[in-house]
Short mmCIF file of all heavy atoms in Angstrom, two decimals:
data_model
loop_
_atom_site.label_atom_id
_atom_site.label_comp_id
_atom_site.label_asym_id
_atom_site.label_seq_id
_atom_site.Cartn_x
_atom_site.Cartn_y
_atom_site.Cartn_z
N MET A 6 -102.70 161.72 66.25
CA MET A 6 -103.45 160.59 65.73
C MET A 6 -104.11 161.02 64.42
O MET A 6 -104.69 162.09 64.33
CB MET A 6 -104.50 160.16 66.74
CG MET A 6 -105.27 158.95 66.27
SD MET A 6 -106.57 158.42 67.39
CE MET A 6 -105.66 157.84 68.78
N ALA A 7 -104.05 160.18 63.40
CA ALA A 7 -104.61 160.49 62.09
C ALA A 7 -106.12 160.37 62.11
O ALA A 7 -106.68 159.50 62.77
CB ALA A 7 -104.03 159.56 61.03
N LYS A 8 -106.76 161.26 61.38
CA LYS A 8 -108.21 161.21 61.27
C LYS A 8 -108.61 160.16 60.24
O LYS A 8 -107.86 159.85 59.33
CB LYS A 8 -108.76 162.56 60.86
CG LYS A 8 -108.64 163.61 61.92
CD LYS A 8 -109.33 164.87 61.48
CE LYS A 8 -109.30 165.91 62.58
NZ LYS A 8 -110.01 167.12 62.19
N ASN A 9 -109.82 159.65 60.38
CA ASN A 9 -110.35 158.70 59.42
C ASN A 9 -110.63 159.43 58.11
O ASN A 9 -111.24 160.49 58.11
CB ASN A 9 -111.64 158.06 59.97
CG ASN A 9 -112.06 156.84 59.21
OD1 ASN A 9 -111.42 156.46 58.22
ND2 ASN A 9 -113.13 156.21 59.66
N ALA A 10 -110.18 158.88 56.99
CA ALA A 10 -110.34 159.54 55.69
C ALA A 10 -111.81 159.68 55.32
O ALA A 10 -112.22 160.68 54.72
CB ALA A 10 -109.60 158.76 54.61
N ILE A 11 -112.61 158.70 55.66
CA ILE A 11 -114.04 158.74 55.36
C ILE A 11 -114.78 158.68 56.69
O ILE A 11 -114.83 157.62 57.33
CB ILE A 11 -114.45 157.57 54.45
CG1 ILE A 11 -113.64 157.59 53.17
CG2 ILE A 11 -115.93 157.62 54.16
CD1 ILE A 11 -113.84 156.37 52.29
N PRO A 12 -115.39 159.78 57.11
CA PRO A 12 -116.11 159.76 58.39
C PRO A 12 -117.24 158.75 58.38
O PRO A 12 -117.98 158.62 57.41
CB PRO A 12 -116.66 161.18 58.51
CG PRO A 12 -115.85 162.00 57.58
CD PRO A 12 -115.40 161.08 56.49
N GLY A 13 -117.36 157.99 59.43
CA GLY A 13 -118.43 157.00 59.54
C GLY A 13 -118.07 155.65 58.94
O GLY A 13 -118.81 154.69 59.10
N ALA A 14 -116.94 155.56 58.22
CA ALA A 14 -116.53 154.29 57.63
C ALA A 14 -116.00 153.37 58.72
O ALA A 14 -115.37 153.83 59.67
CB ALA A 14 -115.47 154.52 56.57
N PRO A 15 -116.25 152.07 58.58
CA PRO A 15 -115.73 151.15 59.59
C PRO A 15 -114.22 151.07 59.54
O PRO A 15 -113.61 151.28 58.50
CB PRO A 15 -116.36 149.81 59.21
CG PRO A 15 -116.73 149.95 57.78
CD PRO A 15 -117.01 151.40 57.55
N LYS A 16 -113.63 150.77 60.66
CA LYS A 16 -112.17 150.65 60.73
C LYS A 16 -111.74 149.33 60.10
O LYS A 16 -112.49 148.37 60.07
CB LYS A 16 -111.71 150.73 62.17
CG LYS A 16 -112.00 152.07 62.79
CD LYS A 16 -111.49 152.17 64.19
CE LYS A 16 -111.96 153.48 64.70
NZ LYS A 16 -111.41 154.19 65.61
N ALA A 17 -110.52 149.31 59.61
CA ALA A 17 -109.99 148.11 58.96
C ALA A 17 -109.90 146.97 59.97
O ALA A 17 -109.69 147.17 61.14
CB ALA A 17 -108.61 148.40 58.38
N GLY A 18 -110.08 145.75 59.49
CA GLY A 18 -109.97 144.58 60.33
C GLY A 18 -111.30 144.00 60.70
O GLY A 18 -111.45 142.79 60.78
N GLY A 19 -112.30 144.81 60.89
CA GLY A 19 -113.64 144.33 61.21
C GLY A 19 -113.72 143.76 62.61
O GLY A 19 -112.79 143.14 63.10
N GLY A 20 -114.85 143.94 63.20
CA GLY A 20 -115.08 143.42 64.54
C GLY A 20 -115.88 142.14 64.49
O GLY A 20 -116.09 141.56 63.43
N PRO A 21 -116.33 141.70 65.63
CA PRO A 21 -117.08 140.44 65.68
C PRO A 21 -118.40 140.50 64.93
O PRO A 21 -118.83 139.50 64.36
CB PRO A 21 -117.30 140.20 67.17
CG PRO A 21 -116.90 141.43 67.88
CD PRO A 21 -116.10 142.26 66.94
N LEU A 22 -119.03 141.66 64.89
CA LEU A 22 -120.31 141.77 64.19
C LEU A 22 -120.12 141.59 62.68
O LEU A 22 -120.90 140.87 62.04
CB LEU A 22 -120.97 143.12 64.48
CG LEU A 22 -122.34 143.33 63.84
CD1 LEU A 22 -123.32 142.27 64.33
CD2 LEU A 22 -122.86 144.71 64.15
N SER A 23 -119.09 142.19 62.12
CA SER A 23 -118.86 142.04 60.68
C SER A 23 -118.48 140.61 60.34
O SER A 23 -118.85 140.10 59.28
CB SER A 23 -117.79 143.01 60.20
OG SER A 23 -116.55 142.72 60.78
N LYS A 24 -117.75 139.94 61.22
CA LYS A 24 -117.41 138.53 61.00
C LYS A 24 -118.65 137.66 61.07
O LYS A 24 -118.81 136.71 60.29
CB LYS A 24 -116.37 138.07 62.00
CG LYS A 24 -115.01 138.71 61.76
CD LYS A 24 -113.99 138.28 62.77
CE LYS A 24 -112.68 139.01 62.52
NZ LYS A 24 -111.65 138.67 63.48
N LEU A 25 -119.56 137.97 61.98
CA LEU A 25 -120.81 137.22 62.10
C LEU A 25 -121.67 137.40 60.86
O LEU A 25 -122.22 136.43 60.32
CB LEU A 25 -121.58 137.66 63.34
CG LEU A 25 -122.95 137.01 63.54
CD1 LEU A 25 -122.80 135.52 63.79
CD2 LEU A 25 -123.69 137.67 64.69
N ILE A 26 -121.76 138.64 60.38
CA ILE A 26 -122.54 138.90 59.16
C ILE A 26 -121.94 138.17 57.97
O ILE A 26 -122.66 137.59 57.16
CB ILE A 26 -122.63 140.42 58.91
CG1 ILE A 26 -123.50 141.07 59.99
CG2 ILE A 26 -123.19 140.72 57.53
CD1 ILE A 26 -123.50 142.57 59.97
N GLY A 27 -120.63 138.17 57.86
CA GLY A 27 -119.96 137.44 56.78
C GLY A 27 -120.22 135.95 56.85
O GLY A 27 -120.49 135.30 55.84
N ALA A 28 -120.18 135.38 58.06
CA ALA A 28 -120.44 133.96 58.24
C ALA A 28 -121.88 133.63 57.89
O ALA A 28 -122.16 132.60 57.25
CB ALA A 28 -120.12 133.54 59.66
N LEU A 29 -122.82 134.49 58.28
CA LEU A 29 -124.24 134.25 57.94
C LEU A 29 -124.46 134.34 56.44
O LEU A 29 -125.22 133.55 55.87
CB LEU A 29 -125.12 135.27 58.67
CG LEU A 29 -125.25 135.07 60.18
CD1 LEU A 29 -126.05 136.21 60.79
CD2 LEU A 29 -125.90 133.73 60.49
N PHE A 30 -123.81 135.29 55.77
CA PHE A 30 -123.92 135.41 54.33
C PHE A 30 -123.37 134.16 53.65
O PHE A 30 -123.99 133.62 52.72
CB PHE A 30 -123.19 136.65 53.84
CG PHE A 30 -123.23 136.82 52.35
CD1 PHE A 30 -124.37 137.30 51.73
CD2 PHE A 30 -122.14 136.49 51.58
CE1 PHE A 30 -124.42 137.45 50.36
CE2 PHE A 30 -122.17 136.63 50.20
CZ PHE A 30 -123.32 137.11 49.59
N LEU A 31 -122.23 133.69 54.09
CA LEU A 31 -121.63 132.48 53.52
C LEU A 31 -122.54 131.27 53.74
O LEU A 31 -122.73 130.45 52.84
CB LEU A 31 -120.26 132.24 54.15
CG LEU A 31 -119.48 131.05 53.62
CD1 LEU A 31 -119.16 131.24 52.13
CD2 LEU A 31 -118.18 130.88 54.40
N PHE A 32 -123.11 131.14 54.93
CA PHE A 32 -124.03 130.05 55.22
C PHE A 32 -125.26 130.11 54.33
O PHE A 32 -125.71 129.09 53.80
CB PHE A 32 -124.45 130.08 56.69
CG PHE A 32 -125.44 129.02 57.06
CD1 PHE A 32 -125.06 127.70 57.18
CD2 PHE A 32 -126.77 129.35 57.26
CE1 PHE A 32 -125.98 126.72 57.52
CE2 PHE A 32 -127.71 128.38 57.58
CZ PHE A 32 -127.31 127.06 57.71
N ALA A 33 -125.81 131.31 54.14
CA ALA A 33 -127.00 131.46 53.28
C ALA A 33 -126.67 131.11 51.83
O ALA A 33 -127.48 130.45 51.15
CB ALA A 33 -127.53 132.89 53.38
N ALA A 34 -125.51 131.52 51.35
CA ALA A 34 -125.12 131.20 49.98
C ALA A 34 -124.94 129.70 49.82
O ALA A 34 -125.39 129.10 48.83
CB ALA A 34 -123.83 131.93 49.62
N LEU A 35 -124.30 129.06 50.78
CA LEU A 35 -124.09 127.62 50.72
C LEU A 35 -125.41 126.86 50.78
O LEU A 35 -125.62 125.90 50.03
CB LEU A 35 -123.17 127.17 51.86
CG LEU A 35 -122.73 125.73 51.86
CD1 LEU A 35 -121.95 125.42 50.59
CD2 LEU A 35 -121.87 125.44 53.07
N ALA A 36 -126.32 127.31 51.64
CA ALA A 36 -127.63 126.67 51.73
C ALA A 36 -128.40 126.81 50.43
O ALA A 36 -129.08 125.87 49.97
CB ALA A 36 -128.43 127.27 52.89
N THR A 37 -128.31 127.97 49.78
CA THR A 37 -129.00 128.18 48.50
C THR A 37 -128.43 127.27 47.43
O THR A 37 -129.18 126.67 46.65
CB THR A 37 -128.87 129.65 48.06
OG1 THR A 37 -129.41 130.49 49.08
CG2 THR A 37 -129.59 129.91 46.77
N VAL A 38 -127.12 127.12 47.38
CA VAL A 38 -126.50 126.24 46.38
C VAL A 38 -126.90 124.80 46.62
O VAL A 38 -127.17 124.05 45.67
CB VAL A 38 -124.96 126.41 46.41
CG1 VAL A 38 -124.28 125.33 45.59
CG2 VAL A 38 -124.58 127.79 45.90
N ILE A 39 -126.99 124.38 47.87
CA ILE A 39 -127.36 123.00 48.17
C ILE A 39 -128.83 122.74 47.86
O ILE A 39 -129.18 121.72 47.28
CB ILE A 39 -127.04 122.66 49.64
CG1 ILE A 39 -125.53 122.62 49.83
CG2 ILE A 39 -127.67 121.35 50.06
CD1 ILE A 39 -125.08 122.51 51.27
N GLN A 40 -129.71 123.69 48.21
CA GLN A 40 -131.14 123.50 48.00
C GLN A 40 -131.55 123.64 46.55
O GLN A 40 -132.41 122.91 46.08
CB GLN A 40 -131.95 124.50 48.83
CG GLN A 40 -132.00 124.18 50.29
CD GLN A 40 -132.87 125.14 51.06
OE1 GLN A 40 -133.09 126.27 50.63
NE2 GLN A 40 -133.36 124.71 52.20
N SER A 41 -130.98 124.59 45.84
CA SER A 41 -131.39 124.87 44.47
C SER A 41 -130.18 125.24 43.63
O SER A 41 -129.96 126.41 43.31
CB SER A 41 -132.42 126.00 44.46
OG SER A 41 -132.86 126.23 43.15
N PRO A 42 -129.40 124.25 43.21
CA PRO A 42 -128.16 124.55 42.49
C PRO A 42 -128.40 125.19 41.12
O PRO A 42 -127.62 126.03 40.69
CB PRO A 42 -127.46 123.20 42.37
CG PRO A 42 -128.50 122.19 42.61
CD PRO A 42 -129.53 122.82 43.47
N VAL A 43 -129.49 124.82 40.45
CA VAL A 43 -129.75 125.38 39.12
C VAL A 43 -130.09 126.86 39.23
O VAL A 43 -129.56 127.69 38.49
CB VAL A 43 -130.89 124.61 38.42
CG1 VAL A 43 -131.26 125.27 37.11
CG2 VAL A 43 -130.48 123.16 38.20
N ALA A 44 -130.94 127.22 40.19
CA ALA A 44 -131.29 128.63 40.38
C ALA A 44 -130.07 129.44 40.81
O ALA A 44 -129.89 130.58 40.36
CB ALA A 44 -132.40 128.76 41.42
N ALA A 45 -129.22 128.86 41.65
CA ALA A 45 -128.01 129.56 42.08
C ALA A 45 -127.07 129.79 40.90
O ALA A 45 -126.46 130.85 40.78
CB ALA A 45 -127.31 128.76 43.18
N ALA A 46 -126.96 128.79 40.02
CA ALA A 46 -126.11 128.93 38.85
C ALA A 46 -126.64 130.01 37.91
O ALA A 46 -125.87 130.80 37.37
CB ALA A 46 -126.00 127.61 38.11
N HIS A 47 -127.95 130.06 37.73
CA HIS A 47 -128.54 131.11 36.88
C HIS A 47 -128.30 132.49 37.48
O HIS A 47 -128.04 133.46 36.76
CB HIS A 47 -130.03 130.87 36.68
CG HIS A 47 -130.34 129.76 35.74
ND1 HIS A 47 -130.01 129.78 34.41
CD2 HIS A 47 -130.94 128.57 35.95
CE1 HIS A 47 -130.40 128.67 33.83
NE2 HIS A 47 -130.96 127.90 34.76
N PHE A 48 -128.41 132.59 38.80
CA PHE A 48 -128.17 133.87 39.47
C PHE A 48 -126.73 134.33 39.26
O PHE A 48 -126.49 135.49 38.92
CB PHE A 48 -128.48 133.75 40.96
CG PHE A 48 -128.15 134.98 41.75
CD1 PHE A 48 -128.96 136.11 41.66
CD2 PHE A 48 -127.03 135.04 42.56
CE1 PHE A 48 -128.67 137.25 42.37
CE2 PHE A 48 -126.72 136.17 43.27
CZ PHE A 48 -127.54 137.29 43.18
N VAL A 49 -125.79 133.43 39.45
CA VAL A 49 -124.37 133.79 39.28
C VAL A 49 -124.10 134.18 37.83
O VAL A 49 -123.37 135.14 37.56
CB VAL A 49 -123.46 132.62 39.73
CG1 VAL A 49 -122.02 132.87 39.33
CG2 VAL A 49 -123.56 132.43 41.23
N THR A 50 -124.69 133.46 36.88
CA THR A 50 -124.51 133.78 35.47
C THR A 50 -125.06 135.16 35.14
O THR A 50 -124.41 135.94 34.43
CB THR A 50 -125.20 132.72 34.59
OG1 THR A 50 -124.67 131.44 34.92
CG2 THR A 50 -124.98 132.99 33.12
N SER A 51 -126.24 135.49 35.67
CA SER A 51 -126.82 136.80 35.38
C SER A 51 -126.02 137.92 36.03
O SER A 51 -125.85 139.00 35.44
CB SER A 51 -128.28 136.85 35.81
OG SER A 51 -128.40 136.76 37.21
N VAL A 52 -125.50 137.69 37.24
CA VAL A 52 -124.67 138.70 37.89
C VAL A 52 -123.39 138.92 37.10
O VAL A 52 -122.96 140.06 36.88
CB VAL A 52 -124.36 138.31 39.35
CG1 VAL A 52 -123.27 139.18 39.94
CG2 VAL A 52 -125.62 138.40 40.20
N ALA A 53 -122.77 137.82 36.63
CA ALA A 53 -121.54 137.94 35.84
C ALA A 53 -121.80 138.68 34.54
O ALA A 53 -120.98 139.49 34.10
CB ALA A 53 -120.96 136.56 35.58
N ALA A 54 -122.94 138.42 33.91
CA ALA A 54 -123.29 139.12 32.67
C ALA A 54 -123.48 140.61 32.93
O ALA A 54 -123.05 141.45 32.14
CB ALA A 54 -124.54 138.52 32.06
N GLY A 55 -124.10 140.94 34.05
CA GLY A 55 -124.30 142.35 34.40
C GLY A 55 -122.99 143.06 34.66
O GLY A 55 -122.78 144.19 34.23
N VAL A 56 -122.07 142.39 35.35
CA VAL A 56 -120.77 142.98 35.63
C VAL A 56 -119.99 143.16 34.32
O VAL A 56 -119.35 144.19 34.10
CB VAL A 56 -119.97 142.12 36.63
CG1 VAL A 56 -118.52 142.55 36.73
CG2 VAL A 56 -120.63 142.17 38.00
N GLY A 57 -120.08 142.16 33.44
CA GLY A 57 -119.41 142.27 32.14
C GLY A 57 -119.96 143.41 31.31
O GLY A 57 -119.22 144.15 30.66
N SER A 58 -121.27 143.57 31.34
CA SER A 58 -121.91 144.65 30.59
C SER A 58 -121.49 146.01 31.15
O SER A 58 -121.23 146.96 30.38
CB SER A 58 -123.43 144.50 30.67
OG SER A 58 -124.07 145.58 30.04
N ALA A 59 -121.42 146.11 32.45
CA ALA A 59 -120.98 147.37 33.07
C ALA A 59 -119.53 147.67 32.69
O ALA A 59 -119.18 148.82 32.41
CB ALA A 59 -121.14 147.29 34.59
N GLY A 60 -118.70 146.65 32.67
CA GLY A 60 -117.30 146.84 32.27
C GLY A 60 -117.18 147.31 30.84
O GLY A 60 -116.38 148.20 30.53
N GLU A 61 -117.96 146.70 29.95
CA GLU A 61 -117.93 147.13 28.54
C GLU A 61 -118.40 148.57 28.40
O GLU A 61 -117.84 149.34 27.61
CB GLU A 61 -118.82 146.21 27.70
CG GLU A 61 -118.24 144.83 27.48
CD GLU A 61 -119.18 143.94 26.68
OE1 GLU A 61 -120.10 144.46 26.02
OE2 GLU A 61 -118.96 142.72 26.71
N SER A 62 -119.43 148.93 29.16
CA SER A 62 -119.93 150.31 29.10
C SER A 62 -118.87 151.30 29.58
O SER A 62 -118.69 152.37 28.97
CB SER A 62 -121.18 150.45 29.96
OG SER A 62 -122.22 149.64 29.46
N LEU A 63 -118.17 150.95 30.65
CA LEU A 63 -117.12 151.84 31.14
C LEU A 63 -115.97 151.96 30.14
O LEU A 63 -115.43 153.05 29.93
CB LEU A 63 -116.58 151.33 32.48
CG LEU A 63 -117.48 151.56 33.68
CD1 LEU A 63 -116.94 150.84 34.91
CD2 LEU A 63 -117.62 153.05 33.97
N MET A 64 -115.61 150.85 29.50
CA MET A 64 -114.55 150.88 28.51
C MET A 64 -114.96 151.76 27.31
O MET A 64 -114.15 152.54 26.79
CB MET A 64 -114.20 149.47 28.04
CG MET A 64 -113.57 148.61 29.11
SD MET A 64 -111.99 149.24 29.69
CE MET A 64 -110.98 148.91 28.27
N THR A 65 -116.21 151.64 26.90
CA THR A 65 -116.70 152.48 25.81
C THR A 65 -116.66 153.96 26.19
O THR A 65 -116.23 154.81 25.41
CB THR A 65 -118.13 152.08 25.41
OG1 THR A 65 -118.14 150.69 25.06
CG2 THR A 65 -118.68 152.92 24.28
N PHE A 66 -117.11 154.25 27.41
CA PHE A 66 -117.10 155.62 27.89
C PHE A 66 -115.71 156.22 27.90
O PHE A 66 -115.46 157.29 27.34
CB PHE A 66 -117.70 155.69 29.30
CG PHE A 66 -117.57 157.04 29.94
CD1 PHE A 66 -118.38 158.09 29.55
CD2 PHE A 66 -116.62 157.26 30.92
CE1 PHE A 66 -118.25 159.35 30.13
CE2 PHE A 66 -116.48 158.51 31.52
CZ PHE A 66 -117.30 159.54 31.12
N PHE A 67 -114.75 155.50 28.51
CA PHE A 67 -113.40 156.02 28.59
C PHE A 67 -112.73 156.07 27.22
O PHE A 67 -111.88 156.93 26.98
CB PHE A 67 -112.56 155.22 29.59
CG PHE A 67 -112.94 155.51 31.01
CD1 PHE A 67 -113.41 154.48 31.83
CD2 PHE A 67 -112.83 156.77 31.55
CE1 PHE A 67 -113.76 154.74 33.15
CE2 PHE A 67 -113.18 157.03 32.85
CZ PHE A 67 -113.65 156.02 33.66
N GLY A 68 -113.12 155.18 26.33
CA GLY A 68 -112.60 155.22 24.97
C GLY A 68 -113.07 156.47 24.22
O GLY A 68 -112.34 157.07 23.43
N GLU A 69 -114.31 156.87 24.47
CA GLU A 69 -114.86 158.06 23.82
C GLU A 69 -114.35 159.34 24.45
O GLU A 69 -114.26 160.37 23.78
CB GLU A 69 -116.39 158.02 23.88
CG GLU A 69 -117.02 156.93 23.04
CD GLU A 69 -116.78 157.12 21.55
OE1 GLU A 69 -116.81 158.27 21.08
OE2 GLU A 69 -116.55 156.11 20.87
N VAL A 70 -114.01 159.31 25.72
CA VAL A 70 -113.53 160.51 26.40
C VAL A 70 -112.14 160.89 25.91
O VAL A 70 -111.85 162.06 25.69
CB VAL A 70 -113.52 160.31 27.93
CG1 VAL A 70 -112.77 161.40 28.64
CG2 VAL A 70 -114.94 160.23 28.46
N SER A 71 -111.29 159.91 25.72
CA SER A 71 -109.91 160.24 25.35
C SER A 71 -109.73 160.48 23.89
O SER A 71 -110.51 160.46 23.05
CB SER A 71 -108.97 159.13 25.78
OG SER A 71 -109.36 157.90 25.21
#
C-alpha cells in the first residue's frame, strides 16, 4: 500500500464533514450576496486585485531570476 505523500493531509474525495463545510461556506457566501450585494462586490474586487498584484509580483521575480 502506498504511503500518503503529505502526512496529515486529507484523502482525496472528501468525507461528509468536508462536504458540510463546503455547503455552509456556499450558503454564507450566498446569504452575504443577497443581504449586501455592494459590499460583496467590493470584497470580490479587492480579492481579485490582490491576486492580480501577487501574480505581477511573481512574474517580476521570475523575470529577474532568469
Side-chain angles (χ1 to χ4, degrees):
M6 183 182 292
K8 290 186 176 182
N9 194 358
I11 303 172
K16 296 183 185 207
L22 182 60
S23 65
K24 291 178 183 178
L25 176 66
I26 291 171
L29 289 175
F30 178 77
L31 183 63
F32 177 74
L35 186 61
T37 302
V38 169
I39 291 171
Q40 285 183 336
S41 182
V43 174
H47 286 296
F48 175 75
V49 170
T50 303
S51 66
V52 168
V56 169
S58 176
E61 288 178 17
S62 297
L63 285 172
M64 293 297 289
T65 303
F66 172 76
F67 286 119
E69 292 295 322
V70 168
S71 57

